[in-house]
Amino acid sequence: MLPAREKYSKIVALFQTETGQPNEVCHIWAYPDLNARAEVRASALKDPAWQEFLGKGVPLLEEMNSTIMLPAPHSPLR
């Protein structure tokens, strides 16, 4: 479903666990600010393809966390 979601913002990184929590995925998205993040998420939620995915995917979630991070001064993402 990444192509449907990436119509709104591009993914920076996508990881899956090899040890620790089984079946854990971490995805990182970049936004210029928190307002842009909110706008993108609201737009994606209106997309029929994304709604279809959520209908199938959300029941499979046991836990979900969001973390807001800022790039370090030496980060290439600055």
Side-chain angles (χ1 to χ4, degrees):
M1 284 309 303
L2 278 178
R5 178 57 180 77
E6 284 193 303
K7 288 190 296 187
Y8 304 97
S9 63
K10 297 292 180 192
I11 194 164
V12 174
L14 178 62
F15 301 96
Q16 67 183 32
T17 54
E18 190 167 304
T19 62
Q21 295 283 33
N23 305 315
E24 186 173 39
V25 174
C26 174
H27 42 92
I28 300 173
W29 303 84
Y31 304 96
D33 56 48
L34 291 177
N35 291 327
R37 178 183 180 269
E39 291 170 14
V40 163
R41 290 173 56 87
S43 295
L45 283 173
K46 294 176 188 173
D47 187 312
W50 191 244
Q51 287 178 359
E52 181 183 349
F53 168 74
L54 291 178
K56 296 174 184 175
V58 170
L60 301 174
L61 286 176
E62 184 175 308
E63 181 180 342
M64 186 171 84
N65 298 298
S66 293
T67 303
I68 306 297
M69 297 183 287
L70 299 174
H74 57 278
S75 171
L77 297 177
R78 258 193 110 67

